[in-house]
Amino acid sequence: MNRKPEAVTDPLFDVSGNTYLIAGAGGGLGKVMARALSERGARLALFDIDEAALEHVGAAIPEALTRVVDMTDQDALAEMVQNTENRFGRIDGAINAAGLLPMAAAATFDEAVFRQCIDVNLTAAFLFSRTVAEHMRDAGGRIVHIASVSSFVANPEYAAYASSKAGLAQMVRVLAREWAPQNILVNALGPALTETPLTRDYLADPGFRRNAISAIPLGRLGEADDLVGALLLLLSPGGGFITGQTIYVDGGRTLV
Ligand SMILES: NC(=O)c1ccc[n+]([C@@H]2O[C@H](COP(=O)([O-])OP(=O)(O)OC[C@H]3O[C@@H](n4cnc5c(N)ncnc54)[C@H](O)[C@@H]3O)[C@@H](O)[C@H]2O)c1
């Protein structure tokens, strides 16, 4: 009597048979997105700079193409994208879930760390977008970056991260305009604080965790699964008229 209904794929949100490339696929958000797309019949090419994390997600999705790639390395990135096309014949979409979150007071923020944050979160995001867009030229495609509530809100100690994520949200708008004629749709998701390897150490501080939760009107941290619905929208026919947007999936965090 308690039988689960048969899974129904709504054609509006269908991603089956499509090929997606995921940067930062070994991370807390990237691996959940990879699993969600794989479960819905997508073909995946996954990369990350962290070999162990990539192996972990690769073991769960053995049919995926997996490679260790540093996305700040333009040559390695180009090779990864080419390998994806060689393996699957086409690239329908790309998801950028790679990123760094260094936090420090502005007065003492280490310059090299600041530059590295911009390099990974913004410059590499640009290179990734451009490299995949070259392969989408004829058929169009979808690009989804993971921005952040920090694209919008200004938290102390977030000078590098918030700058990189605000830049990313604006870059998405520019690329959306430039590539609209090729039907390449460029968007971002803006998650609230979610417990992953990126944030685990900060959230281990009870005061930090309490403050983070109290800033979210829905009263809890984000979960990686919260992003799946909006991701499917941005990748599927249902999202075919959405471009240049950062969709905040944040429990209301950006409302304050
Ligand atoms: N977790 C959160 O609270 C949160 C909130 C808002 C936005 N985001 C953003 O979502 C994205 C994913 O975050 P996450 O929480 O999954 O973090 P995570 O640290 O769990 O995963 C990020 C992944 O990116 C990879 N990576 C880092 N530098 C790389 C490089 N140069 N080349 C290739 N891969 C690289 C890491 O190895 C890691 O596996 C990030 O852009 C992050 O800023 C996260």
Side-chain angles (χ1 to χ4, degrees):
M1 294 296 94
N2 275 335
R3 256 184 350 140
K4 272 171 83 179
E6 289 289 308
V8 177
T9 304
D10 187 324
L12 262 184
F13 305 110
D14 188 10
V15 293
S16 61
N18 289 350
T19 299
Y20 299 107
L21 184 60
I22 307 183
L29 303 186
K31 73 176 179 213
V32 168
M33 292 177 168
R35 199 192 54 221
L37 293 173
S38 169
E39 284 168 359
R40 288 165 177 81
R43 302 177 302 174
L44 300 177
L46 310 174
F47 73 89
D48 201 292
I49 199 171
D50 181 336
E51 186 171 4
L54 189 65
E55 265 174 23
H56 195 254
V57 65
I61 311 173
E63 58 283 10
L65 172 70
T66 55
R67 292 276 187 283
V68 175
V69 173
D70 176 351
M71 73 183 289
T72 64
D73 176 345
Q74 173 68 85
D75 292 340
L77 202 52
E79 195 182 330
M80 177 73 209
V81 175
Q82 188 60 56
N83 283 338
T84 304
E85 188 167 311
N86 295 347
R87 163 80 79 96
F88 298 111
R90 63 174 212 258
I91 300 174
D92 299 287
I95 298 143
N96 168 24
L100 301 176
L101 171 57
M103 270 190 236
T108 53
F109 213 113
D110 183 83
E111 180 184 338
V113 172
F114 191 101
R115 288 183 188 280
Q116 185 193 28
C117 180
I118 300 293
D119 196 30
V120 173
N121 291 6
L122 185 57
T123 311
F126 171 70
L127 296 175
F128 181 57
S129 305
R130 186 168 67 178
T131 309
V132 293
E134 276 167 28
H135 288 254
M136 291 172 171
R137 251 185 332 252
D138 299 329
R142 308 288 176 89
I143 298 174
V144 179
H145 291 282
I146 313 302
S148 167
V149 294
S150 289
S151 301
F152 184 77
V153 298
N155 281 315
E157 306 203 350
Y158 274 66
Y161 186 76
S163 304
S164 73
K165 294 295 182 178
L168 182 63
Q170 186 68 340
M171 185 188 83
V172 157
R173 289 160 51 85
V174 173
L175 298 184
R177 287 198 70 177
E178 276 196 36
W179 298 340
Q182 288 86 47
N183 203 29
I184 297 171
L185 280 50
V186 190
N187 291 289
L189 297 174
L193 203 66
T194 305
E195 191 155 6
T196 68
L198 190 81
T199 56
R200 195 160 290 148
D201 288 349
Y202 300 121
L203 285 166
D205 172 349
F208 183 93
R209 178 182 283 268
R210 208 171 29 250
N211 288 342
I213 294 172
S214 68
I216 299 175
L218 286 183
R220 65 166 173 85
L221 296 176
E223 287 175 15
D225 282 319
D226 292 327
L227 299 173
V228 172
L231 177 71
L232 290 174
L233 172 67
L234 293 178
L235 295 176
S236 62
F241 206 49
I242 302 174
T243 196
Q245 305 303 310
T246 293
I247 299 183
Y248 291 103
V249 182
D250 67 350
R253 174 69 181 88
T254 47
L255 300 176
V256 290

